Amino acid sequence: MERTRILIADDHVLVAEAFKSLLEPEYDVVGVVTDGRSLIKVALETKPDIVLLDLGMPLLNGLDAGQELKKLLPRIKLIILTMNEDPEVASMALRHWASSYLLKKSASVELVHSISEVLRGRSYVTPTMAQKLMDAFIRDPHPVQTKELTQRQRQVLQLLAEGNSMKEAAAVLNIAVRTIAFHKYRIMEEFGLRTNADLVRFAIREHLIPDA
């Protein structure tokens, strides 16, 4: 019987290697990547059954990488391994593309069980997060829809907030520098941002980069 193929995406190399060591006796770990863009590239090359991904990755965060991967490889199963305990983030991911949401502090205990559940076509949410999701829903079952960034705006904002110049961001996205500038100023205008520091704070609030 062919072993389940797993790809690990986490910018903390020691964490990724620890998960790899934990899983290799039972599963075929086809690779370890450290940013969201490499994740998409390697996933398309290796066609894993399951991807374990962190949310706070550079170049392309886990939320956007996961959503893009699910469009490109609809049959892939995506398990989030994160320190992010925000129920809004968990809800967004589970609603659209994630099969499982695990916190890193409990992942080693729950990870193999989560993989087993996901392979059976079920979802798994770590109990701490399941309770937070329930509490958030009870507080506000119909959250107000607010103005949202487009996918391209999210990509541009993350790269600029990570400290890339407009030229460097343009090279990553393979678009013109003037297009980066257009998106930057549209974001600042639409969301009332005045400085680059405002831009960084906004990126943190949008869960595009971790709060240092």
Side-chain angles (χ1 to χ4, degrees), residues 10 20 22 24 42 50 84 107 110 128 140-141 158 161 167 177 184 198:
D10 196 311
K20 181 181 177 185
L22 175 70
E24 276 185 324
V42 175
I50 289 177
N84 192 321
E110 298 179 85
T128 306
D140 190 3
Q158 176 173 354
K167 184 176 181 181
V177 175
K184 177 183 177 181
D198 289 341

Side-chain angles (χ1 to χ4, degrees), residues 17 21 90 116 158 180 208:
E17 290 297 330
S21 298
S116 177
Q158 176 173 354
I180 296 288
L208 297 177

Side-chain angles (χ1 to χ4, degrees), residues 7 33-43 59:
L7 175 62
V33 296
T34 56
D35 68 78
R37 297 205 168 272
S38 297
L39 166 59
I40 290 171
K41 177 178 180 291
V42 175
L59 298 181

Side-chain angles (χ1 to χ4, degrees), residues 91-109:
S91 177
M92 188 191 318
L94 290 164
R95 206 164 50 236
H96 296 296
W97 52 266
S99 293
S100 181
Y101 199 99
L102 299 178
L103 297 177
K104 284 185 177 178
K105 63 186 179 184
S106 59
S108 58
V109 178

